[in-house]
Amino acid sequence: MKYLFLFIFSISFFIGTAQENEESNKIEFNGFVRNYMGVFTQSPNDFSIFQNTVNLEIKQQNDKIGFYANPYLYHYANKPIEWRLREMYVDFFTNKMDIRIGKQQIIWGQADGVFITDIVTPKDLSEFLLRDFNEIRTGINAVKANYYFNDENSLELVWIPQFTSTKPPGPGSNWYFTLPFPVKPTFHLEKKNIPLRLENGEFFARYSLNNSWIDLQLMGGYTWDDDPALHMMRTKDTMTGVLKIDITPEHHRMALFGGSFSTDVAGFILRGESAYYLDKYFQNPFVKEAVVQKDYLNYVVGLDKTIGDWRLSAQFIQKRILDYDEDIFFNEVENLATLLVSKSMFREKLRVEWFTYFGITHIDAFSRLRAFYMPYDQVSIEMGTNLFVNSEFDLKPGDVPGLFGRYDKNDMIYTRVKYSF
Amino acid sequence: MNTKILKIGLLALISLFFNDAIFAQTAKEIAYKVYNRKTPDSGQSDMTMTLINKKGKERVRSLHQFFIDEGDTEKKIMFFKSPADVKNTSFMNWTYDDTSEDDDQWLFLPALKKVKRISNSSKDNEFMGSDFTYEDMERRSPEKDNHKLLREETLNGDDCWVMEVTPKEEEQYSKKIGWISKEKEIPVKVEFYDEDGDLLKVLNIQDFEHIDGYWIATKQLMENVQKNHKTTIELTHLKINIGLQSSKFTQRAMQKGL
């Protein structure tokens, strides 16, 4: 990866020097350096994170072609340095069509903080949902083509030759979570990865209508399920009678369709987004291999409003498994709500923000209260808290706590000091 | 005697009424003259906004803007160039001649990689933390105000009409007093009064350019006399009537950037 950086720098420097007098063709270097420290509030007050980041963005673009690269570095106090490339792609622009080829993030949908139709790009959840959203999303190798019929109507097609799954928190992480098993299972990972073959590509399509009245998107996808189904085999040792569980995680093909919209209603922005999954796999411990296929609906409705310096936003999210079997490991219906309250002060030198996920089904919550102070241009000092609330104190063995309540012991305070250039 | 006094009183009242009516008519005409003056069909410029606090410390925001007048709709798109943390953010605004129709606004944040329709900012909100509100930067229909011609005087070499403008409905300013250049048909100075009738802000146009027959204010200073901070807005690399197409004012253009 070090050589990749050197290569990018060398190329960029060369082109930048050669064309420095041409404003439109100038290489742009931007990015930020950031220190991020977080401490768990519960004794013994371990550091939840101690991270230094360098994020570099290199861009060059003219009317016909463009280039973008986003290398970054995470330096931790107790782990090796991570050098990565979030995005690196080339753009081709014509009058009616834009084509982007390379490693890229593709973001769809109208929802904030939840992923409904925004499933094209996988996520890195190794720090749960605490990273900024552009850092949660993993770049994928893809070819994306946008065709513009006119100023209002367009069609977007995406081909992803190689499936990349979402990265969950690993064992040893404070965010690691696993389903409860009666005995420690043995995992067989031979089916975990999807071979890089032409037939294994993912395909997405989206039609967009954007005018003064509405922003509307309709989408469909033929993809791999990001969540691997855990195919389970239970055997009893005939000699000892000890139960043995073998689990083979496997990603399955899945089709989905959906849409999203956003419009102004009496000074409010009304947003909606929905995705319908066909034959998604769910865990049911009482059937063969402990998996069943069901259709699944995920949708959100949201309202935004700006009043003076205040910004308010609320969303209601529902996930529903259709033709539900009582023994499926997850609830038939999961309801969630989010609330955002934000206020800018002192000529935008200070912004205070409160964003909360409320798990309505499990009565749990994840609440982020933070303040951004900008003493100078380019410098941002962020101080905040991440609070997890769990009201399900009477969980029985085998019960699964809510998505947020399970991290009840991970409350933390943190600071992030960021210099942008 | 009583009849005579009554007649004189009546005549005085009628003359006063007509006098006011004539002035009011003139004031309204001036307001419309300013509102309907010839403006470019399209254009672009760099815009540098300098926020100066009471200690004289400066913060600078720069952007590039494009605009187009499509008859019943004015469209504007802004690409932020600095400070670095907002670079490549873009903002698009569509304003409609039909005053019953609210503006439409979209924001593209490069970190989020998507365009969001945003709720119409309150017109009395500060624009990017400056001393200008969104409304200060818009063309305002004379139908929303009552106008009164106070006097005529010369300001910085410009022969001006001095007008008092009061909103018909309660708004952020209780009144404005504007110095309208007779030659340029644009305000060269405006005083803004708060809800209590106290002077709040003073706008001075510090520089003009005369391009292709259009007078354009290229440097403005807005001073908040109550909080003692100020903001300058300077336009450079100004080009007008450059034949911009409506395709420049789309979400595709916002994402593509400059």
Side-chain angles (χ1 to χ4, degrees):
Chain A
M1 188 57 76
K2 186 167 73 178
Y3 297 105
L4 179 66
F5 265 77
L6 289 173
F7 174 73
I8 291 167
F9 274 115
S10 315
I11 293 286
S12 307
F13 183 74
F14 173 74
I15 299 172
T17 309
Q19 299 180 335
E20 63 186 357
N21 293 325
E22 296 175 37
E23 180 74 24
S24 62
N25 276 337
K26 213 169 164 182
I27 289 265
E28 292 177 26
F29 288 91
N30 293 100
F32 63 83
V33 176
R34 182 186 65 200
N35 173 266
Y36 178 13
M37 282 188 292
V39 175
F40 289 118
T41 56
Q42 199 168 68
S43 183
N45 306 114
D46 289 338
F47 277 102
S48 60
I49 191 162
F50 199 118
Q51 182 198 61
N52 297 300
T53 304
V54 179
N55 186 84
L56 185 62
E57 292 177 77
I58 306 158
K59 182 182 175 186
Q60 187 189 34
Q61 185 175 299
N62 60 33
D63 287 345
K64 294 190 170 60
I65 193 163
F67 156 80
Y68 177 82
N70 178 200
Y72 66 100
L73 174 158
Y74 286 149
H75 167 258
Y76 295 95
N78 52 357
K79 283 196 277 184
I81 288 177
E82 288 181 23
W83 295 84
R84 297 274 168 80
L85 193 57
R86 188 168 288 120
E87 291 185 283
M88 188 166 77
Y89 55 75
V90 178
D91 279 321
F92 300 93
F93 307 115
T94 68
N95 187 32
K96 288 275 185 186
M97 187 183 276
D98 298 339
I99 297 174
R100 178 169 291 175
I101 302 172
K103 189 168 186 181
Q104 54 190 293
Q105 294 179 331
I106 298 169
I107 316 298
W108 286 3
Q110 299 285 348
D112 291 334
V114 289
F115 306 89
I116 311 291
T117 60
D118 184 15
I119 58 154
V120 184
T121 302
K123 300 171 279 294
D124 181 346
L125 298 176
S126 49
E127 290 167 37
F128 188 51
L129 293 168
L130 302 189
R131 289 184 180 175
D132 288 342
F133 274 94
N134 61 326
E135 294 180 63
I136 282 179
R137 293 185 171 98
T138 313
I140 37 155
N141 285 304
V143 179
K144 178 167 76 87
N146 291 73
Y147 184 80
Y148 299 90
F149 300 101
N150 49 42
D151 288 351
E152 293 188 357
N153 297 274
S154 66
L155 181 67
E156 181 172 339
L157 299 172
V158 178
W159 172 51
I160 303 170
Q162 182 181 21
F163 168 69
T164 309
S165 69
T166 284
K167 183 181 173 188
S173 160
N174 288 299
W175 309 102
Y176 181 65
F177 179 80
T178 184
L179 295 174
F181 296 104
V183 294
K184 191 177 177 187
T186 304
F187 283 91
H188 303 273
L189 302 178
E190 61 272 13
K191 292 185 177 174
K192 181 82 165 56
N193 296 318
I194 307 297
L196 179 56
R197 263 183 228 140
L198 194 58
E199 64 183 11
N200 287 339
E202 295 180 282
F203 302 91
F204 294 92
R206 179 171 72 156
Y207 161 77
S208 297
L209 168 69
N210 303 113
N211 59 29
S212 63
W213 183 64
I214 196 166
D215 295 317
L216 174 75
Q217 295 86 32
L218 301 173
M219 62 81 70
Y222 181 60
T223 178
W224 293 92
D225 194 341
D226 219 13
D227 303 316
L230 303 179
H231 292 261
M232 198 184 306
M233 294 295 289
R234 271 172 289 211
T235 49
K236 259 191 181 166
D237 190 306
T238 49
M239 300 288 286
T240 61
V242 174
L243 178 68
K244 185 169 177 285
I245 297 179
D246 290 280
I247 291 178
T248 307
E250 187 177 350
H251 294 280
H252 289 279
R253 274 292 190 187
M254 185 179 71
L256 79 157
F257 59 90
S260 56
F261 74 92
S262 172
T263 186
D264 190 324
V265 179
F268 288 83
I269 298 297
L270 174 66
R271 294 180 283 120
E273 187 173 344
S274 169
Y276 190 93
Y277 296 70
L278 298 162
D279 291 332
K280 182 177 164 59
Y281 279 76
F282 292 92
Q283 301 301 139
N284 182 340
F286 298 100
V287 299
K288 190 185 173 193
E289 294 195 21
V291 290
V292 289
Q293 283 181 273
K294 298 287 176 188
D295 288 356
Y296 173 69
L297 177 68
N298 191 1
Y299 70 89
V300 59
V301 181
L303 269 183
D304 304 333
K305 178 72 182 166
T306 303
I307 305 170
D309 294 328
W310 292 85
R311 193 160 72 88
L312 309 168
S313 175
Q315 299 180 125
F316 171 77
I317 302 108
Q318 185 173 82
K319 298 175 180 181
R320 179 178 284 271
I321 302 170
L322 302 169
D323 187 26
Y324 185 73
D325 299 337
E326 282 304 318
D327 296 323
I328 288 180
F329 207 81
F330 301 99
N331 290 324
E332 180 180 7
V333 178
E334 291 266 354
N335 293 325
L336 177 70
T338 69
L339 179 66
L340 169 75
V341 181
S342 173
K343 179 172 169 56
S344 288
M345 289 170 268
F346 310 120
R347 303 176 99 191
E348 298 188 350
K349 264 193 166 186
L350 179 67
R351 179 162 58 90
V352 180
E353 183 179 296
W354 180 50
F355 182 76
T356 297
Y357 294 91
F358 295 105
I360 297 169
T361 304
H362 294 275
I363 321 292
D364 59 351
F366 166 33
S367 187
R368 306 192 82 177
L369 178 62
R370 49 190 179 164
F372 300 81
Y373 175 56
M374 280 71 78
Y376 317 103
D377 285 341
Q378 300 177 271
V379 175
S380 160
I381 301 170
E382 178 186 345
M383 300 178 75
T385 62
N386 295 319
L387 301 175
F388 295 88
V389 179
N390 180 25
S391 65
E392 295 180 308
F393 298 112
D394 56 347
L395 285 175
K396 294 180 282 296
D399 284 353
V400 180
L403 180 63
F404 311 115
R406 68 184 63 160
Y407 300 122
D408 193 26
K409 295 183 171 59
N410 285 5
D411 292 349
M412 67 174 73
I413 53 173
Y414 72 90
T415 63
R416 284 201 275 205
V417 181
K418 183 172 167 184
Y419 174 79
S420 302
F421 56 90
Chain B
M1 184 70 177
N2 283 346
T3 314
K4 196 177 175 183
I5 289 170
L6 190 67
K7 280 179 181 171
I8 291 169
L10 199 60
L11 275 172
L13 198 65
I14 289 168
S15 79
L16 194 67
F17 171 78
F18 272 104
N19 203 27
D20 265 7
I22 289 162
F23 270 105
Q25 179 64 25
T26 311
K28 199 79 165 176
E29 280 173 8
I30 294 166
Y32 268 103
K33 197 178 273 194
V34 173
Y35 183 70
N36 292 324
R37 76 182 184 278
K38 207 173 135 198
T39 52
D41 292 336
S42 65
Q44 62 170 311
S45 74
D46 281 325
M47 178 170 145
T48 305
M49 192 156 73
T50 308
L51 281 58
I52 307 160
N53 72 9
K54 52 186 162 192
K55 292 176 186 166
K57 201 173 138 194
E58 294 184 355
R59 305 177 89 180
V60 179
R61 280 98 180 82
S62 68
L63 54 89
H64 192 84
Q65 60 178 349
F66 298 88
F67 66 89
I68 189 170
D69 187 344
E70 296 183 328
D72 56 350
T73 309
E74 283 180 34
K75 296 178 179 176
K76 186 184 275 189
I77 190 165
M78 295 174 167
F79 297 94
F80 293 83
K81 295 162 79 174
S82 74
D85 54 347
V86 295
K87 189 171 180 180
N88 295 325
T89 297
S90 54
F91 171 77
M92 184 164 68
N93 187 83
W94 293 2
T95 308
Y96 306 98
D97 275 2
D98 180 355
T99 51
S100 66
E101 200 169 346
D102 284 338
D103 290 8
D104 287 311
Q105 298 180 337
W106 294 265
L107 185 69
F108 172 70
L109 296 170
L112 295 182
K113 287 189 169 54
K114 65 180 174 184
V115 177
K116 283 202 73 156
R117 184 184 287 260
I118 56 173
S119 114
N120 218 329
S121 296
S122 300
K123 300 276 185 187
D124 53 356
N125 262 18
E126 295 165 350
F127 175 73
M128 290 173 72
S130 74
D131 292 291
F132 290 83
T133 64
Y134 283 87
E135 190 186 12
D136 296 343
M137 303 176 77
E138 282 182 1
R139 230 155 52 106
R140 182 178 166 92
S141 168
E143 285 306 308
K144 294 180 176 177
D145 300 308
N146 293 312
H147 304 85
K148 189 174 169 187
L149 180 60
L150 299 178
R151 58 187 181 275
E152 296 179 13
E153 66 182 33
T154 304
L155 181 72
N156 299 329
D158 269 309
D159 286 337
C160 296
W161 292 294
V162 183
M163 305 245 298
E164 184 182 279
V165 180
T166 48
K168 288 178 180 170
E169 292 175 14
E170 196 173 319
E171 293 189 25
Q172 59 170 327
Y173 305 120
S174 59
K175 71 172 179 186
K176 288 182 275 189
I177 295 179
W179 280 254
I180 316 292
S181 167
K182 293 180 182 176
E183 181 200 358
K184 303 178 179 92
E185 294 181 350
I186 54 176
V188 292
K189 179 183 175 184
V190 182
E191 292 177 348
F192 300 83
Y193 291 82
D194 66 13
E195 289 163 343
D196 299 327
D198 297 326
L199 182 63
L200 175 65
K201 298 191 297 190
V202 180
L203 172 71
N204 276 294
I205 308 301
Q206 297 184 314
D207 212 350
F208 297 92
E209 273 189 47
H210 195 226
I211 307 171
D212 295 343
Y214 304 99
W215 279 104
I216 295 170
T218 51
K219 189 169 184 187
Q220 310 178 41
L221 169 69
M222 180 75 93
E223 197 164 2
N224 186 318
V225 295
Q226 293 184 6
K227 292 183 178 170
N228 202 22
H229 49 60
K230 52 195 172 188
T231 302
T232 62
I233 288 183
E234 195 167 1
L235 303 183
T236 51
H237 303 109
L238 185 62
K239 293 176 189 168
I240 56 172
N241 289 340
I242 49 177
L244 290 176
Q245 303 293 312
S246 60
S247 59
K248 188 80 194 167
F249 302 86
T250 59
Q251 296 190 19
R252 179 192 189 190
M254 292 179 79
Q255 294 179 75
K256 189 177 173 189
L258 281 173

